[in-house]
Amino acid sequence: GGVSATSGSVVGSVTSTNIQVKADAFDNLSVGVAFYRQAGIKLDYQANWSLGGAAAAAALPKVDLDVNAIVLLTKYDVNDSFSVLAGLKNGTAKDAVVKIPSSLVDAAVTGGSALSYVLGAAYEMPEIALRAEVVYETSGEYVLDTTFNGIGAGTVKATTANYMNVYVQSGIAEDTLLFASARQADWKTNQVSIKHAGTGGAYADISDFSDTTGYRIGLGRKFGDTWSSSLSYNWEGGSGATTGSPLTLSNGNQGVSIGAKYALNDSTAITFGGNYTEFGDVEGTWAAGTFGANAKFSGNSVTTLGAQVSHSF
């Protein structure tokens, strides 16, 4: 939500479908393929900001962008405890609308793709349910042909961050698991930028992203042969109480997740759960007349619900 002349949510609801398949190629080599929604920006100030009717609303920011990814991973078991993995990820950005008057952007963007790489290693001690895993993912650069209204042809360049993921779990009592994870993203050097005749042939940033590190810690518990559940807490530090970009709507976050898994039989299980996260307040510092000076984003939260069906052959 945001507060200028009124208040409301400027972010739309999102539904995502994830598909994962894994197969053993040899005794110590397995291959997996995953398809999922990697990223997206769903901002619509136009429908939720009131500054003087339809004409004024049409001059407000609106960004509708989706990025889907398909990943091919291979895992090699060096021995009973140590394994390594490597893979390729191809992300595809769909055709998009990008309208940010404060940056003089009003454009139709043609979709494109970007390739990135995944590397990782894991150590396991099954007798105590110990697993430690680190995965690194390189950035992927999208260079998208763009038509800027009133200016002509140009380019939008958007780069996903380099990610470092660390995950550790261990049994701490019978049927009880403690787990923790950290995810670091290098966003500061991966901004959204534009290039057209008005920028003198050079790229100009229209975002103000900062590096982020998110954490999660939780407990898992098994109840008999069919039911198990988990409870976790997640948090991420913010980049400051103010922002100069309408693409930055929060200053850190914290939330709680709960989940349950039911095993129908030895091969099939259903997992379901949800997360509730609250976002830290942030104040926009753009100039008056753009779409309201010093817009305040406060009291914001997101609720996520999900379900998964898994089957082993």
Side-chain angles (χ1 to χ4, degrees), residues 76-98:
Y76 176 73
D77 297 324
V78 179
N79 52 45
D80 291 340
S81 299
F82 185 69
S83 60
V84 294
L85 63 87
L88 297 174
K89 182 174 77 172
N90 186 72
T92 302
K94 297 181 178 180
D95 291 355
V97 173
V98 180

Side-chain angles (χ1 to χ4, degrees), residues 38-94:
Q38 178 185 359
I41 302 176
K42 296 288 186 180
L43 296 182
D44 192 353
Y45 288 80
Q46 296 182 1
N48 300 288
W49 225 264
S50 177
L51 290 174
L60 301 180
K62 183 174 183 178
V63 182
D64 188 356
L65 171 66
D66 279 306
V67 179
N68 294 321
I70 184 167
V71 184
L72 173 65
L73 288 175
T74 58
K75 176 188 174 186
Y76 176 73
D77 297 324
V78 179
N79 52 45
D80 291 340
S81 299
F82 185 69
S83 60
V84 294
L85 63 87
L88 297 174
K89 182 174 77 172
N90 186 72
T92 302
K94 297 181 178 180

Side-chain angles (χ1 to χ4, degrees), residues 126-161:
E127 60 271 20
I128 60 171
L130 172 68
R131 178 178 175 84
E133 179 182 83
V134 58
V135 177
Y136 177 76
E137 181 181 321
T138 64
S139 62
E141 183 178 272
Y142 297 85
V143 180
L144 307 175
D145 293 335
T146 305
T147 301
F148 292 89
N149 292 338
I151 299 176
T155 305
V156 167
K157 182 169 67 175
T159 309
T160 57

Side-chain angles (χ1 to χ4, degrees), residues 127-206:
E127 60 271 20
I128 60 171
L130 172 68
R131 178 178 175 84
E133 179 182 83
V134 58
V135 177
Y136 177 76
E137 181 181 321
T138 64
S139 62
E141 183 178 272
Y142 297 85
V143 180
L144 307 175
D145 293 335
T146 305
T147 301
F148 292 89
N149 292 338
I151 299 176
T155 305
V156 167
K157 182 169 67 175
T159 309
T160 57
N162 300 292
Y163 294 106
M164 177 70 77
N165 298 280
V166 178
Y167 174 81
V168 180
Q169 70 172 46
S170 178
I172 57 173
E174 186 177 358
D175 294 331
T176 304
L177 190 72
L178 174 67
F179 59 90
S181 65
R183 179 178 176 87
Q184 194 276 333
D186 175 24
W187 282 110
K188 191 173 183 62
T189 57
N190 292 283
Q191 305 292 337
V192 179
S193 57
I194 61 172
K195 182 174 70 173
H196 52 64
T199 65
Y203 280 104
D205 292 344
I206 60 172

Side-chain angles (χ1 to χ4, degrees), residues 87-296:
L88 297 174
K89 182 174 77 172
N90 186 72
T92 302
K94 297 181 178 180
D95 291 355
V97 173
V98 180
K99 187 179 181 71
I100 307 176
S102 59
S103 298
L104 303 180
V105 178
D106 184 357
V109 181
T110 302
S113 61
L115 188 67
S116 56
Y117 305 92
V118 181
L119 298 170
Y123 177 79
E124 298 178 85
M125 294 180 62
E127 60 271 20
I128 60 171
L130 172 68
R131 178 178 175 84
E133 179 182 83
V134 58
V135 177
Y136 177 76
E137 181 181 321
T138 64
S139 62
E141 183 178 272
Y142 297 85
V143 180
L144 307 175
D145 293 335
T146 305
T147 301
F148 292 89
N149 292 338
I151 299 176
T155 305
V156 167
K157 182 169 67 175
T159 309
T160 57
N162 300 292
Y163 294 106
M164 177 70 77
N165 298 280
V166 178
Y167 174 81
V168 180
Q169 70 172 46
S170 178
I172 57 173
E174 186 177 358
D175 294 331
T176 304
L177 190 72
L178 174 67
F179 59 90
S181 65
R183 179 178 176 87
Q184 194 276 333
D186 175 24
W187 282 110
K188 191 173 183 62
T189 57
N190 292 283
Q191 305 292 337
V192 179
S193 57
I194 61 172
K195 182 174 70 173
H196 52 64
T199 65
Y203 280 104
D205 292 344
I206 60 172
S207 63
D208 187 23
F209 302 142
S210 298
D211 295 345
T212 62
T213 303
Y215 304 91
R216 182 181 298 273
I217 187 168
L219 287 172
R221 176 75 176 173
K222 185 178 179 181
F223 302 94
D225 295 329
T226 57
W227 281 100
S228 58
S229 64
S230 64
L231 178 66
S232 64
Y233 171 69
N234 62 273
W235 73 99
E236 182 178 291
S239 57
T242 61
T243 177
S245 171
L247 299 181
T248 301
L249 307 182
S250 66
N251 179 29
N253 62 73
Q254 59 178 342
V256 177
S257 297
I258 186 170
K261 180 179 180 179
Y262 178 72
L264 296 174
N265 49 51
D266 293 339
S267 302
T268 306
I270 300 175
T271 304
F272 49 90
N275 170 270
Y276 174 78
T277 293
E278 294 183 343
F279 296 98
D281 298 346
V282 68
E283 184 172 343
T285 57
W286 40 75
T290 302
F291 52 100
N294 300 322
K296 296 179 180 179

